Amino acid sequence: MPTATTITCRSLTPLRFTFTARITVKAEGTAPIDRIYLLRNSQVIYAQPGGDLSARFEYVDNSPGWKGSFYYVRVEQKDGKQAISSPVWVD
């Protein structure tokens, strides 16, 4: 049986909601991964060293300009090869 929750607000100040873009990246390489880059609108916003054949991380973009942006990932392997994901638009 579903339960009900009641929320009471005793403030006259309007509530403000803050939204963030939460991005999870998982990469699999054919050689050890050297570095993974997360880009927003073609600018690097996060970089993480690799080490193994696979890597995973989560990034939360709290910046005010993320709405209407596109994100993509670039993976560089230690053998010099790289892969670039398709862009993902967030609105």
Side-chain angles (χ1 to χ4, degrees):
M1 176 176 228
T3 60
T5 302
T6 303
I7 300 173
T8 304
C9 179
R10 297 184 192 271
S11 171
L12 297 177
T13 305
L15 295 176
R16 291 192 178 115
F17 296 98
T18 303
F19 298 97
T20 58
R22 183 178 306 272
I23 299 141
T24 302
V25 175
K26 182 178 179 188
E28 301 283 335
T30 56
I33 295 172
D34 185 40
R35 189 164 287 278
I36 302 174
Y37 299 92
L38 175 62
L39 297 94
R40 180 185 63 230
N41 300 331
S42 300
Q43 299 294 317
V44 174
I45 59 170
Y46 182 76
Q48 175 176 303
D52 294 327
L53 292 175
S54 64
R56 179 184 172 99
F57 67 85
E58 184 172 279
Y59 180 84
V60 177
D61 192 351
N62 292 313
S63 65
W66 66 267
K67 287 189 89 174
S69 297
F70 65 93
Y71 296 84
Y72 62 96
V73 175
R74 186 175 74 227
V75 179
E76 295 178 352
Q77 296 183 157
K78 292 187 178 184
D79 65 0
K81 295 181 181 175
Q82 61 179 327
I84 300 174
S85 73
S86 296
V88 175
W89 275 263
V90 180
D91 194 13

